[in-house]
Amino acid sequence: MKTKRTFYLVLILLGAGIAGLGDHIMQEEYALSIGIVLLMLGLHKTTQLWSIGQYNEEEKDKENN
């Protein structure tokens, strides 16, 4: 489970880096597009992990009561 979190953090950081500094490597429009896509993918997957974890905690609380 930790490898997924680490991978998604790397996606977020890589996306932000490409969006911010990618104009030195490639055309600005492509850098922004690729950076935003990677950033949003990492954020989306991270929030999915959070919601799954929150759902599991709610189920455990219901079973204990």
Side-chain angles (χ1 to χ4, degrees):
M1 189 63 119
K2 283 200 175 244
T3 57
K4 285 184 180 181
R5 292 180 184 182
T6 305
F7 178 70
Y8 298 148
L9 176 65
V10 168
L11 275 180
I12 292 169
L13 294 175
L14 185 64
I18 289 175
L21 303 172
D23 57 341
H24 299 292
I25 300 169
M26 60 184 92
Q27 289 183 1
E28 185 176 1
E29 295 83 15
Y30 295 129
L32 283 174
S33 299
I34 292 169
I36 289 172
V37 167
L38 290 176
L39 181 63
M40 293 314 242
L41 181 66
L43 289 173
H44 174 69
K45 293 295 187 175
T46 301
T47 55
Q48 279 185 337
L49 282 178
W50 288 343
S51 65
I52 290 171
Q54 186 178 19
Y55 177 75
N56 288 340
E57 288 177 7
E58 289 175 2
E59 289 295 319
K60 287 180 185 177
D61 289 342
K62 286 180 184 178
E63 290 176 0
N64 291 336
N65 291 328

